[in-house]
Amino acid sequence: QEMLTDIVFVDLPEIGRQVVPHATVAVVESVKSVSDVFSPVSGEVIEVNSALEETPELINKDAFGEGWIVKMLLFNPDELNMLLTAAGYDEMLKEEK
């Protein structure tokens, strides 16, 4: 969300949509670009943050709180074991520099 700068629009998926890992689950538009949001896991969208329709900037203000995008029912919870923690992700970014 920092690299996108000010987010001005979020295209939310429909509840009930089924996704696989690496599939687009939502789209965010900023003043700089339009970017796909990819699902890291497979599952079904069970809730969307409809507050983003009126205030998409919540993603910029509170990405890990009020700026959440979707909630999903996981098809395979073991897929979570393949994901990085926030600390692991930060470390990976440092190594890439």
Side-chain angles (χ1 to χ4, degrees):
Q1 61 83 15
E2 289 175 16
M3 296 178 91
L4 289 172
T5 65
D6 295 333
I7 294 174
V8 296
F9 177 76
V10 181
D11 184 13
L12 298 168
E14 289 188 22
I15 293 174
R17 179 173 175 196
Q18 295 185 1
V19 296
V20 296
H22 313 294
T24 300
V25 70
V27 177
V28 294
E29 183 178 335
S30 72
V31 294
K32 289 176 72 173
S33 66
V34 175
S35 300
D36 291 333
V37 176
F38 299 100
S39 176
V41 295
S42 59
E44 180 180 337
V45 175
I46 59 170
E47 189 175 347
V48 297
N49 187 354
S50 58
L52 297 177
E53 294 172 343
E54 296 294 322
T55 52
E57 64 272 12
L58 285 174
I59 294 174
N60 292 113
K61 292 178 182 174
D62 190 14
F64 293 104
E66 291 184 30
W68 63 274
I69 298 173
V70 300
K71 293 183 182 179
M72 292 177 47
L73 175 64
L74 300 180
F75 290 155
N76 182 0
D78 289 337
E79 291 173 340
L80 294 175
N81 296 328
M82 299 184 309
L83 302 178
L84 291 172
T85 62
Y89 184 73
D90 286 340
E91 187 60 34
M92 181 188 74
L93 293 177
K94 287 177 190 175
E95 291 172 6
E96 290 182 0
K97 288 184 180 180

